[in-house]
Amino acid sequence: MAMESGFRLSRPAVYEIEVTTPSALENDHRLSERISAFLRSWTDLARQDQSDMLAENVLIGTESSTAIISRDAFLAAVRARHTKIGGRSTSQLSTWTATGVGRGLLLVTATWVFDGAGADISLVSDFLLQDASGGGLRCAAYLPRQDVTAMLSSASSPVTADSAGQP
């Protein structure tokens, strides 16, 4: 092989990268419907038998920790939070974006409007979704950006003022 720039190539380097852009996903109407259906069902996770929406084990990541938990443990936590928050709060999907990150995998960022403690709160969640049997999508990783329970606890605690009247 010929020498160039002081080094010798012993074999050609070939890199194959599969890229799916968000704009390509936007043009796939069926995939958009599947993502929307998954996200609409996500808000009912505590109320219905939606276990097929979750992988057998789910990666949960927050700013302070990361853990892999079983589907059953995840559903139990969702139901416990739903019971604690009660029927006084609802979440409505506002917007979402999706990026293909491999064959059968999507990184989805969803923005929700959460009506909790008498105020609308904007929430953002990230999901790693994979194709599931039956044409649906299944959550392999869930990355909530906020702790809803803590937000509601702080919103419902009374604000006290100091002697100068400042909170």
Side-chain angles (χ1 to χ4, degrees):
M1 300 197 115
M3 295 283 290
E4 294 185 3
S5 303
F7 67 92
R8 184 178 135 156
L9 294 175
S10 61
R11 61 186 171 134
V14 178
Y15 299 98
E16 183 177 332
I17 300 173
E18 181 178 333
V19 177
T20 305
T21 63
S23 61
L25 292 173
E26 290 169 5
N27 293 331
D28 186 341
H29 185 68
R30 185 176 180 286
L31 182 56
S32 291
E33 287 177 358
R34 290 171 61 204
I35 295 168
S36 292
F38 174 88
L39 293 171
R40 282 190 309 270
S41 296
W42 186 258
T43 60
D44 292 330
L45 200 56
R47 296 184 197 125
Q48 302 175 16
D49 180 24
Q50 296 283 358
S51 62
D52 59 329
M53 292 180 62
L54 300 168
E56 187 174 325
N57 292 295
V58 180
L59 173 70
I60 307 296
T62 66
E63 64 182 43
S64 61
S65 68
T66 303
I68 297 174
I69 64 171
S70 72
R71 174 189 305 143
D72 292 339
F74 186 88
L75 288 170
V78 167
R79 290 180 184 124
R81 185 181 86 176
H82 181 72
T83 299
K84 182 175 184 172
I85 293 172
R88 68 180 196 258
S89 303
T90 59
S91 295
Q92 296 294 320
L93 180 62
S94 177
T95 61
W96 61 266
T97 60
T99 303
V101 292
R103 186 164 285 148
L105 292 173
L106 298 166
L107 180 60
V108 176
T109 299
T111 304
W112 312 85
V113 175
F114 180 73
D115 175 21
D120 284 346
I121 301 168
S122 181
L123 302 175
V124 180
S125 304
D126 298 300
F127 301 86
L128 179 62
L129 302 180
Q130 62 189 48
D131 284 331
S133 61
L137 295 169
R138 177 174 292 139
C139 179
Y142 174 57
L143 308 155
R145 296 191 192 179
Q146 306 85 9
D147 182 346
V148 176
T149 306
M151 290 171 73
L152 288 176
S153 295
S154 66
S156 63
S157 5
V159 176
T160 57
D162 65 15
S163 59
Q166 298 297 316

